[in-house]
Amino acid sequence: KVIRKAKRALKRVPLTERQSHAVQLYYYEGKTQEEVGQILGISQQAASYHLELARKKIEKHVTLD
C-alpha cells in the first residue's frame, strides 16, 4: 500500500526527463551511478548530480502520511 502511494506521489513531482530517467534506472532497476551515466551518455558525477536534484524535489513534494 505504501509503495503504491509513493509511486502515485512521484508522478506529481516536477522532475526533468533526465532526472526521471536517472531515478528509474538507479532506484527501480538497481543500476549504479556509473551505469546510469553510461546509459544516459553523461559522467557518473553528472548522474549523481541529477539524482541529488531529483531526491531534493521528491523530498519537497512528497509526504507519505
Side-chain angles (χ1 to χ4, degrees):
K1 181 179 177 181
V2 171
I3 293 174
R4 278 183 276 152
K5 186 175 181 180
K7 285 183 179 181
R8 281 194 306 270
L10 280 175
K11 291 179 182 180
R12 295 189 305 265
V13 177
L15 298 178
T16 65
E17 186 175 332
R18 182 161 279 174
Q19 291 166 352
S20 180
H21 198 182
V23 166
Q24 174 70 32
L25 293 167
Y26 187 75
Y27 291 104
Y28 292 104
E29 297 182 23
K31 304 290 186 194
T32 65
Q33 289 183 2
E34 186 172 313
E35 291 169 325
V36 171
Q38 290 172 350
I39 292 166
L40 297 179
I42 59 178
S43 68
Q44 176 274 321
Q45 292 86 355
S48 176
Y49 175 75
H50 288 292
L51 288 165
E52 178 66 16
L53 289 178
R55 185 186 60 77
K56 287 179 180 181
K57 286 182 182 181
I58 291 166
E59 287 177 352
K60 182 179 178 181
H61 289 87
V62 175
T63 59
L64 296 177
D65 300 335

